[in-house]
Amino acid sequence: MGKSLFGKKNRVLLAELIKTDFKLRYQGSVLGYLWAVIKPLLMFAILYVVFAKVLRFGDEIPHYPVYLLVGTVLWNFFNECAQQGIHSIEQRGDLIRKLSFPKYIVVVSATSTAVINVLINICVVIVFALLNGVVPSLSWLLVLPLLVELYLLALGISLLLGAMNIKFRDVGSIWEVLMQAMFYAVPIIYPLSMVMNTSILAAKIIMLNPVAQIIQDVRWSLITHEAATEWALSGLAWGLVSIFIVIVVFILGVLYFRKKSKYFAEEV
Amino acid sequence: MKWSEKYLKRMREKAHEEALANENAIEVRDLYKSFKLPTERAWGLKQAIFNRLKGIKGFTKQEVLRGISFDVKRGEFLGIVGRNGSGKSTLLKVLSEIYVPDSGSVNVNGTLVPFIELGVGFNPELTGRENVYLNGALLGFSNKEMDEMFDDIVKFAELEQFMDQKLKNYSSGMQVRLAFSIAIRARGDILILDEVLAVGDAAFQEKCNDYFKSLHGNQTVILVTHDMGNVEKFCDRAILIENGKITCEGKPAKVTKAYMKLWD
């Protein structure tokens, strides 16, 4: 009866929930959906003033502002996606307690706004890059699979931690602190070359983090091939580690979620 | 979404045919369900680790359903009665696939539309129209199917002029009327209602009563209620649940009498 995981009935529900989220997100604000673009740009402006102008990071990096913008846009996407995803199940508890539908729909629909936002923001990045004198190239196409990789990571984390968060509400709080730490462990505001000048090993360790790998790869394909990537830094075999992490996290997330979701209605 | 709509319709028609082919709309066999209730504050990581260290299990097992079996015939209006906490709502949630039973089986022939509560997922910031479609999607109907039911739902709720206004501007009576109309005009093979029978003012209640009487023999309904008057008025058959077991089953008059005796 169309009960399969990606059955038509479930897709109708997913589409309806995404539409609702989208409609309600910026309800009652004057600028409405423009906020999706304005907010990351303002965040970027703050970071730019502090780190590029005051602390003079990235003086030797070509197109450093674009570099910084790419970092913040991708980080915001990852942060928003995981944050919304992890808390989606408890937030939609009213539905889960009273209706029967595959629970993954709740998680996917909660991350949808972040996906729409990042697609808009990537367009802003491209305009910004062109204004900054970056020359378009075919490697820009690589951005799409990299975004997919980042989304799979965020979704995997959402499924895994979201399911845990039902039983142990501490998980959500722990994750927030972890994200704060990770913000500084990933080359967003500082260029990776700064770390490389001090310790190559430290740079290699940083790049094992899939978020760092993706940010650097997007910079490499979008802005300049001078951006250090995991491949160039650690060789082919090590270059695959972060992709491997993403796959493992995603599979673990799906399996754990599937096992636990049967009992969400009782526990949420 | 054209092809998917077609697919959905075909699936529904197939399910409908299957439902007609079988005399029983629902077959429940030997259903058990228990819950783990946390004893002390077993919520959160700290307490979980603490309990593990001290060898405390952190929960007690509460048996809510203890071997329930019954059939519901196609077109039958079944009433389920019982005290608070006897397991009625848990039973409905197992039938609706919201809870997974510990053991036993539930066989549903046809599409089942559960109303454990009215207006689940209603959002005050959305218009009446948007809420109807959202509610429909949550219940498993496609937009096309909702298009077909929409006018009927709105007409029954008597809210034609208000559909493009936000739900937060509705009076509470109007809100339940809309939710209730979705519940009873939704075209599923089996309708499940938990203590949601007559809402709104006297005129609307009268209309609901007439409607329920007209359903006789055409629609399979399972109704959980504490109102014995309604059981006798609408139901073909009733069951009484006490401590997770069926203690009385049969004609509404007999079951309501047994229900009244619980307090003697």
Side-chain angles (χ1 to χ4, degrees), chain A residues 6-34:
Chain A
F6 295 98
K8 312 291 174 294
K9 192 164 144 178
N10 295 334
R11 264 189 264 165
V12 171
L13 175 55
L14 182 60
E16 198 67 25
L17 285 178
I18 291 174
K19 232 164 63 189
T20 307
D21 270 0
F22 191 81
K23 263 185 244 167
L24 294 178
R25 176 56 58 103
Y26 295 100
Q27 268 264 328
S29 72
V30 181
L31 293 177
Y33 214 78
L34 271 179

PDB file of all heavy atoms in Angstrom, chain A residues 6-34:
ATOM      1  N   PHE A   6      10.388   5.163   0.069  1.00  0.00           N
ATOM      2  CA  PHE A   6      10.303   6.342  -0.778  1.00  0.00           C
ATOM      3  C   PHE A   6       9.050   6.277  -1.645  1.00  0.00           C
ATOM      4  O   PHE A   6       9.031   6.764  -2.759  1.00  0.00           O
ATOM      5  CB  PHE A   6      11.567   6.485  -1.617  1.00  0.00           C
ATOM      6  CG  PHE A   6      12.778   6.735  -0.773  1.00  0.00           C
ATOM      7  CD1 PHE A   6      13.629   5.692  -0.439  1.00  0.00           C
ATOM      8  CD2 PHE A   6      13.040   7.993  -0.265  1.00  0.00           C
ATOM      9  CE1 PHE A   6      14.732   5.913   0.370  1.00  0.00           C
ATOM     10  CE2 PHE A   6      14.128   8.220   0.558  1.00  0.00           C
ATOM     11  CZ  PHE A   6      14.985   7.175   0.870  1.00  0.00           C
ATOM     12  N   GLY A   7       8.005   5.656  -1.112  1.00  0.00           N
ATOM     13  CA  GLY A   7       6.744   5.525  -1.835  1.00  0.00           C
ATOM     14  C   GLY A   7       6.159   6.877  -2.179  1.00  0.00           C
ATOM     15  O   GLY A   7       6.507   7.895  -1.586  1.00  0.00           O
ATOM     16  N   LYS A   8       5.228   6.892  -3.102  1.00  0.00           N
ATOM     17  CA  LYS A   8       4.640   8.144  -3.587  1.00  0.00           C
ATOM     18  C   LYS A   8       3.926   8.898  -2.473  1.00  0.00           C
ATOM     19  O   LYS A   8       4.017  10.107  -2.345  1.00  0.00           O
ATOM     20  CB  LYS A   8       3.640   7.862  -4.703  1.00  0.00           C
ATOM     21  CG  LYS A   8       4.132   6.928  -5.769  1.00  0.00           C
ATOM     22  CD  LYS A   8       5.227   7.571  -6.608  1.00  0.00           C
ATOM     23  CE  LYS A   8       5.819   6.586  -7.595  1.00  0.00           C
ATOM     24  NZ  LYS A   8       6.543   5.465  -6.984  1.00  0.00           N
ATOM     25  N   LYS A   9       3.218   8.124  -1.641  1.00  0.00           N
ATOM     26  CA  LYS A   9       2.468   8.706  -0.544  1.00  0.00           C
ATOM     27  C   LYS A   9       3.395   9.500   0.387  1.00  0.00           C
ATOM     28  O   LYS A   9       3.075  10.609   0.799  1.00  0.00           O
ATOM     29  CB  LYS A   9       1.836   7.542   0.209  1.00  0.00           C
ATOM     30  CG  LYS A   9       0.809   7.892   1.208  1.00  0.00           C
ATOM     31  CD  LYS A   9       0.055   6.602   1.537  1.00  0.00           C
ATOM     32  CE  LYS A   9      -0.339   6.555   2.976  1.00  0.00           C
ATOM     33  NZ  LYS A   9      -1.093   5.347   3.290  1.00  0.00           N
ATOM     34  N   ASN A  10       4.563   8.921   0.652  1.00  0.00           N
ATOM     35  CA  ASN A  10       5.518   9.590   1.532  1.00  0.00           C
ATOM     36  C   ASN A  10       6.109  10.822   0.876  1.00  0.00           C
ATOM     37  O   ASN A  10       6.427  11.796   1.542  1.00  0.00           O
ATOM     38  CB  ASN A  10       6.629   8.618   1.921  1.00  0.00           C
ATOM     39  CG  ASN A  10       6.079   7.471   2.741  1.00  0.00           C
ATOM     40  OD1 ASN A  10       5.054   7.635   3.392  1.00  0.00           O
ATOM     41  ND2 ASN A  10       6.728   6.336   2.691  1.00  0.00           N
ATOM     42  N   ARG A  11       6.257  10.756  -0.444  1.00  0.00           N
ATOM     43  CA  ARG A  11       6.805  11.926  -1.130  1.00  0.00           C
ATOM     44  C   ARG A  11       5.825  13.093  -1.103  1.00  0.00           C
ATOM     45  O   ARG A  11       6.223  14.243  -0.997  1.00  0.00           O
ATOM     46  CB  ARG A  11       7.175  11.570  -2.569  1.00  0.00           C
ATOM     47  CG  ARG A  11       8.654  11.219  -2.656  1.00  0.00           C
ATOM     48  CD  ARG A  11       9.063  11.092  -4.076  1.00  0.00           C
ATOM     49  NE  ARG A  11       9.015   9.698  -4.492  1.00  0.00           N
ATOM     50  CZ  ARG A  11       9.053   9.311  -5.754  1.00  0.00           C
ATOM     51  NH1 ARG A  11       9.110  10.198  -6.720  1.00  0.00           N
ATOM     52  NH2 ARG A  11       9.036   8.037  -6.050  1.00  0.00           N
ATOM     53  N   VAL A  12       4.536  12.771  -1.216  1.00  0.00           N
ATOM     54  CA  VAL A  12       3.514  13.824  -1.126  1.00  0.00           C
ATOM     55  C   VAL A  12       3.603  14.498   0.238  1.00  0.00           C
ATOM     56  O   VAL A  12       3.602  15.725   0.346  1.00  0.00           O
ATOM     57  CB  VAL A  12       2.098  13.238  -1.334  1.00  0.00           C
ATOM     58  CG1 VAL A  12       1.039  14.280  -1.030  1.00  0.00           C
ATOM     59  CG2 VAL A  12       1.946  12.727  -2.761  1.00  0.00           C
ATOM     60  N   LEU A  13       3.733  13.687   1.287  1.00  0.00           N
ATOM     61  CA  LEU A  13       3.821  14.235   2.640  1.00  0.00           C
ATOM     62  C   LEU A  13       5.086  15.070   2.801  1.00  0.00           C
ATOM     63  O   LEU A  13       5.047  16.174   3.348  1.00  0.00           O
ATOM     64  CB  LEU A  13       3.803  13.094   3.658  1.00  0.00           C
ATOM     65  CG  LEU A  13       4.008  13.490   5.114  1.00  0.00           C
ATOM     66  CD1 LEU A  13       2.997  14.532   5.552  1.00  0.00           C
ATOM     67  CD2 LEU A  13       3.927  12.268   6.021  1.00  0.00           C
ATOM     68  N   LEU A  14       6.209  14.554   2.297  1.00  0.00           N
ATOM     69  CA  LEU A  14       7.477  15.281   2.396  1.00  0.00           C
ATOM     70  C   LEU A  14       7.359  16.644   1.712  1.00  0.00           C
ATOM     71  O   LEU A  14       7.736  17.675   2.278  1.00  0.00           O
ATOM     72  CB  LEU A  14       8.602  14.453   1.768  1.00  0.00           C
ATOM     73  CG  LEU A  14      10.002  15.057   1.827  1.00  0.00           C
ATOM     74  CD1 LEU A  14      10.428  15.273   3.263  1.00  0.00           C
ATOM     75  CD2 LEU A  14      11.010  14.156   1.121  1.00  0.00           C
ATOM     76  N   ALA A  15       6.784  16.642   0.508  1.00  0.00           N
ATOM     77  CA  ALA A  15       6.638  17.894  -0.235  1.00  0.00           C
ATOM     78  C   ALA A  15       5.774  18.882   0.540  1.00  0.00           C
ATOM     79  O   ALA A  15       6.083  20.075   0.619  1.00  0.00           O
ATOM     80  CB  ALA A  15       6.018  17.613  -1.603  1.00  0.00           C
ATOM     81  N   GLU A  16       4.701  18.377   1.150  1.00  0.00           N
ATOM     82  CA  GLU A  16       3.778  19.251   1.886  1.00  0.00           C
ATOM     83  C   GLU A  16       4.462  19.852   3.116  1.00  0.00           C
ATOM     84  O   GLU A  16       4.300  21.026   3.422  1.00  0.00           O
ATOM     85  CB  GLU A  16       2.533  18.443   2.281  1.00  0.00           C
ATOM     86  CG  GLU A  16       1.337  19.269   2.664  1.00  0.00           C
ATOM     87  CD  GLU A  16       0.749  20.066   1.518  1.00  0.00           C
ATOM     88  OE1 GLU A  16       0.909  19.683   0.329  1.00  0.00           O
ATOM     89  OE2 GLU A  16       0.129  21.095   1.795  1.00  0.00           O
ATOM     90  N   LEU A  17       5.260  19.036   3.813  1.00  0.00           N
ATOM     91  CA  LEU A  17       5.957  19.536   5.007  1.00  0.00           C
ATOM     92  C   LEU A  17       7.031  20.560   4.638  1.00  0.00           C
ATOM     93  O   LEU A  17       7.215  21.557   5.327  1.00  0.00           O
ATOM     94  CB  LEU A  17       6.594  18.370   5.777  1.00  0.00           C
ATOM     95  CG  LEU A  17       5.640  17.490   6.579  1.00  0.00           C
ATOM     96  CD1 LEU A  17       6.406  16.360   7.254  1.00  0.00           C
ATOM     97  CD2 LEU A  17       4.889  18.305   7.622  1.00  0.00           C
ATOM     98  N   ILE A  18       7.737  20.298   3.526  1.00  0.00           N
ATOM     99  CA  ILE A  18       8.761  21.246   3.080  1.00  0.00           C
ATOM    100  C   ILE A  18       8.113  22.579   2.722  1.00  0.00           C
ATOM    101  O   ILE A  18       8.583  23.646   3.114  1.00  0.00           O
ATOM    102  CB  ILE A  18       9.546  20.683   1.871  1.00  0.00           C
ATOM    103  CG1 ILE A  18      10.416  19.498   2.315  1.00  0.00           C
ATOM    104  CG2 ILE A  18      10.400  21.758   1.223  1.00  0.00           C
ATOM    105  CD1 ILE A  18      11.123  18.789   1.192  1.00  0.00           C
ATOM    106  N   LYS A  19       6.982  22.497   2.004  1.00  0.00           N
ATOM    107  CA  LYS A  19       6.266  23.710   1.613  1.00  0.00           C
ATOM    108  C   LYS A  19       5.856  24.514   2.853  1.00  0.00           C
ATOM    109  O   LYS A  19       5.988  25.729   2.890  1.00  0.00           O
ATOM    110  CB  LYS A  19       5.011  23.308   0.814  1.00  0.00           C
ATOM    111  CG  LYS A  19       4.882  24.003  -0.510  1.00  0.00           C
ATOM    112  CD  LYS A  19       3.882  23.314  -1.422  1.00  0.00           C
ATOM    113  CE  LYS A  19       2.470  23.293  -0.918  1.00  0.00           C
ATOM    114  NZ  LYS A  19       1.582  22.437  -1.739  1.00  0.00           N
ATOM    115  N   THR A  20       5.380  23.788   3.868  1.00  0.00           N
ATOM    116  CA  THR A  20       4.938  24.454   5.094  1.00  0.00           C
ATOM    117  C   THR A  20       6.107  25.129   5.804  1.00  0.00           C
ATOM    118  O   THR A  20       6.018  26.289   6.193  1.00  0.00           O
ATOM    119  CB  THR A  20       4.291  23.428   6.040  1.00  0.00           C
ATOM    120  OG1 THR A  20       3.280  22.742   5.327  1.00  0.00           O
ATOM    121  CG2 THR A  20       3.694  24.114   7.246  1.00  0.00           C
ATOM    122  N   ASP A  21       7.204  24.388   5.950  1.00  0.00           N
ATOM    123  CA  ASP A  21       8.396  24.956   6.588  1.00  0.00           C
ATOM    124  C   ASP A  21       8.828  26.228   5.873  1.00  0.00           C
ATOM    125  O   ASP A  21       9.139  27.239   6.491  1.00  0.00           O
ATOM    126  CB  ASP A  21       9.563  23.952   6.524  1.00  0.00           C
ATOM    127  CG  ASP A  21       9.582  23.060   7.740  1.00  0.00           C
ATOM    128  OD1 ASP A  21       8.700  23.237   8.607  1.00  0.00           O
ATOM    129  OD2 ASP A  21      10.468  22.195   7.834  1.00  0.00           O
ATOM    130  N   PHE A  22       8.841  26.138   4.545  1.00  0.00           N
ATOM    131  CA  PHE A  22       9.287  27.247   3.714  1.00  0.00           C
ATOM    132  C   PHE A  22       8.389  28.468   3.918  1.00  0.00           C
ATOM    133  O   PHE A  22       8.851  29.589   4.070  1.00  0.00           O
ATOM    134  CB  PHE A  22       9.251  26.795   2.253  1.00  0.00           C
ATOM    135  CG  PHE A  22       9.935  27.731   1.305  1.00  0.00           C
ATOM    136  CD1 PHE A  22      11.310  27.698   1.168  1.00  0.00           C
ATOM    137  CD2 PHE A  22       9.203  28.625   0.553  1.00  0.00           C
ATOM    138  CE1 PHE A  22      11.946  28.562   0.289  1.00  0.00           C
ATOM    139  CE2 PHE A  22       9.831  29.490  -0.318  1.00  0.00           C
ATOM    140  CZ  PHE A  22      11.209  29.461  -0.450  1.00  0.00           C
ATOM    141  N   LYS A  23       7.078  28.216   3.960  1.00  0.00           N
ATOM    142  CA  LYS A  23       6.115  29.314   4.121  1.00  0.00           C
ATOM    143  C   LYS A  23       6.253  29.983   5.487  1.00  0.00           C
ATOM    144  O   LYS A  23       6.083  31.181   5.628  1.00  0.00           O
ATOM    145  CB  LYS A  23       4.691  28.764   3.994  1.00  0.00           C
ATOM    146  CG  LYS A  23       4.092  28.929   2.616  1.00  0.00           C
ATOM    147  CD  LYS A  23       2.651  28.458   2.634  1.00  0.00           C
ATOM    148  CE  LYS A  23       2.472  27.262   1.721  1.00  0.00           C
ATOM    149  NZ  LYS A  23       1.225  26.545   1.888  1.00  0.00           N
ATOM    150  N   LEU A  24       6.544  29.150   6.510  1.00  0.00           N
ATOM    151  CA  LEU A  24       6.502  29.667   7.878  1.00  0.00           C
ATOM    152  C   LEU A  24       7.823  30.271   8.337  1.00  0.00           C
ATOM    153  O   LEU A  24       7.854  31.028   9.302  1.00  0.00           O
ATOM    154  CB  LEU A  24       6.104  28.548   8.842  1.00  0.00           C
ATOM    155  CG  LEU A  24       4.691  28.014   8.667  1.00  0.00           C
ATOM    156  CD1 LEU A  24       4.424  26.881   9.629  1.00  0.00           C
ATOM    157  CD2 LEU A  24       3.664  29.127   8.870  1.00  0.00           C
ATOM    158  N   ARG A  25       8.905  29.922   7.643  1.00  0.00           N
ATOM    159  CA  ARG A  25      10.229  30.289   8.142  1.00  0.00           C
ATOM    160  C   ARG A  25      10.380  31.793   8.428  1.00  0.00           C
ATOM    161  O   ARG A  25      10.798  32.201   9.487  1.00  0.00           O
ATOM    162  CB  ARG A  25      11.293  29.813   7.141  1.00  0.00           C
ATOM    163  CG  ARG A  25      12.717  30.199   7.457  1.00  0.00           C
ATOM    164  CD  ARG A  25      13.171  29.743   8.822  1.00  0.00           C
ATOM    165  NE  ARG A  25      13.090  28.317   9.036  1.00  0.00           N
ATOM    166  CZ  ARG A  25      14.141  27.507   9.005  1.00  0.00           C
ATOM    167  NH1 ARG A  25      15.322  27.968   8.722  1.00  0.00           N
ATOM    168  NH2 ARG A  25      13.997  26.237   9.260  1.00  0.00           N
ATOM    169  N   TYR A  26      10.008  32.601   7.452  1.00  0.00           N
ATOM    170  CA  TYR A  26      10.222  34.040   7.647  1.00  0.00           C
ATOM    171  C   TYR A  26       8.899  34.794   7.783  1.00  0.00           C
ATOM    172  O   TYR A  26       8.781  35.953   7.397  1.00  0.00           O
ATOM    173  CB  TYR A  26      11.071  34.599   6.512  1.00  0.00           C
ATOM    174  CG  TYR A  26      12.450  34.020   6.508  1.00  0.00           C
ATOM    175  CD1 TYR A  26      12.803  32.990   5.655  1.00  0.00           C
ATOM    176  CD2 TYR A  26      13.403  34.484   7.410  1.00  0.00           C
ATOM    177  CE1 TYR A  26      14.068  32.438   5.678  1.00  0.00           C
ATOM    178  CE2 TYR A  26      14.677  33.944   7.445  1.00  0.00           C
ATOM    179  CZ  TYR A  26      15.010  32.917   6.573  1.00  0.00           C
ATOM    180  OH  TYR A  26      16.261  32.381   6.615  1.00  0.00           O
ATOM    181  N   GLN A  27       7.891  34.094   8.334  1.00  0.00           N
ATOM    182  CA  GLN A  27       6.584  34.698   8.565  1.00  0.00           C
ATOM    183  C   GLN A  27       6.705  35.950   9.425  1.00  0.00           C
ATOM    184  O   GLN A  27       7.399  35.938  10.432  1.00  0.00           O
ATOM    185  CB  GLN A  27       5.704  33.697   9.312  1.00  0.00           C
ATOM    186  CG  GLN A  27       4.877  32.830   8.410  1.00  0.00           C
ATOM    187  CD  GLN A  27       3.495  33.375   8.242  1.00  0.00           C
ATOM    188  OE1 GLN A  27       2.993  33.969   9.167  1.00  0.00           O
ATOM    189  NE2 GLN A  27       2.904  33.202   7.083  1.00  0.00           N
ATOM    190  N   GLY A  28       6.035  37.003   9.010  1.00  0.00           N
ATOM    191  CA  GLY A  28       5.971  38.182   9.847  1.00  0.00           C
ATOM    192  C   GLY A  28       7.206  39.055   9.818  1.00  0.00           C
ATOM    193  O   GLY A  28       7.309  40.009  10.572  1.00  0.00           O
ATOM    194  N   SER A  29       8.190  38.748   8.963  1.00  0.00           N
ATOM    195  CA  SER A  29       9.335  39.659   8.858  1.00  0.00           C
ATOM    196  C   SER A  29       9.202  40.465   7.578  1.00  0.00           C
ATOM    197  O   SER A  29       8.687  39.983   6.571  1.00  0.00           O
ATOM    198  CB  SER A  29      10.646  38.877   8.876  1.00  0.00           C
ATOM    199  OG  SER A  29      10.825  38.181   7.669  1.00  0.00           O
ATOM    200  N   VAL A  30       9.640  41.726   7.635  1.00  0.00           N
ATOM    201  CA  VAL A  30       9.433  42.638   6.517  1.00  0.00           C
ATOM    202  C   VAL A  30      10.213  42.185   5.284  1.00  0.00           C
ATOM    203  O   VAL A  30       9.703  42.148   4.171  1.00  0.00           O
ATOM    204  CB  VAL A  30       9.864  44.067   6.915  1.00  0.00           C
ATOM    205  CG1 VAL A  30       9.621  45.020   5.754  1.00  0.00           C
ATOM    206  CG2 VAL A  30       9.083  44.520   8.142  1.00  0.00           C
ATOM    207  N   LEU A  31      11.469  41.799   5.511  1.00  0.00           N
ATOM    208  CA  LEU A  31      12.311  41.433   4.379  1.00  0.00           C
ATOM    209  C   LEU A  31      12.070  40.008   3.915  1.00  0.00           C
ATOM    210  O   LEU A  31      12.517  39.614   2.853  1.00  0.00           O
ATOM    211  CB  LEU A  31      13.784  41.617   4.738  1.00  0.00           C
ATOM    212  CG  LEU A  31      14.191  43.076   4.962  1.00  0.00           C
ATOM    213  CD1 LEU A  31      15.634  43.165   5.385  1.00  0.00           C
ATOM    214  CD2 LEU A  31      13.976  43.882   3.690  1.00  0.00           C
ATOM    215  N   GLY A  32      11.382  39.218   4.730  1.00  0.00           N
ATOM    216  CA  GLY A  32      11.002  37.865   4.336  1.00  0.00           C
ATOM    217  C   GLY A  32      12.185  37.014   3.938  1.00  0.00           C
ATOM    218  O   GLY A  32      13.190  36.959   4.653  1.00  0.00           O
ATOM    219  N   TYR A  33      12.051  36.404   2.753  1.00  0.00           N
ATOM    220  CA  TYR A  33      13.045  35.425   2.377  1.00  0.00           C
ATOM    221  C   TYR A  33      14.415  36.026   2.079  1.00  0.00           C
ATOM    222  O   TYR A  33      15.415  35.328   2.041  1.00  0.00           O
ATOM    223  CB  TYR A  33      12.568  34.576   1.198  1.00  0.00           C
ATOM    224  CG  TYR A  33      13.089  33.192   1.352  1.00  0.00           C
ATOM    225  CD1 TYR A  33      12.485  32.315   2.253  1.00  0.00           C
ATOM    226  CD2 TYR A  33      14.240  32.770   0.692  1.00  0.00           C
ATOM    227  CE1 TYR A  33      12.992  31.064   2.471  1.00  0.00           C
ATOM    228  CE2 TYR A  33      14.752  31.506   0.902  1.00  0.00           C
ATOM    229  CZ  TYR A  33      14.120  30.660   1.800  1.00  0.00           C
ATOM    230  OH  TYR A  33      14.642  29.430   2.027  1.00  0.00           O
ATOM    231  N   LEU A  34      14.459  37.347   1.889  1.00  0.00           N
ATOM    232  CA  LEU A  34      15.756  38.010   1.677  1.00  0.00           C
ATOM    233  C   LEU A  34      16.725  37.711   2.820  1.00  0.00           C
ATOM    234  O   LEU A  34      17.934  37.731   2.644  1.00  0.00           O
ATOM    235  CB  LEU A  34      15.548  39.517   1.557  1.00  0.00           C
ATOM    236  CG  LEU A  34      15.288  40.041   0.147  1.00  0.00           C
ATOM    237  CD1 LEU A  34      15.076  41.538   0.198  1.00  0.00           C
ATOM    238  CD2 LEU A  34      16.442  39.682  -0.773  1.00  0.00           C
TER     239      LEU A  34
END
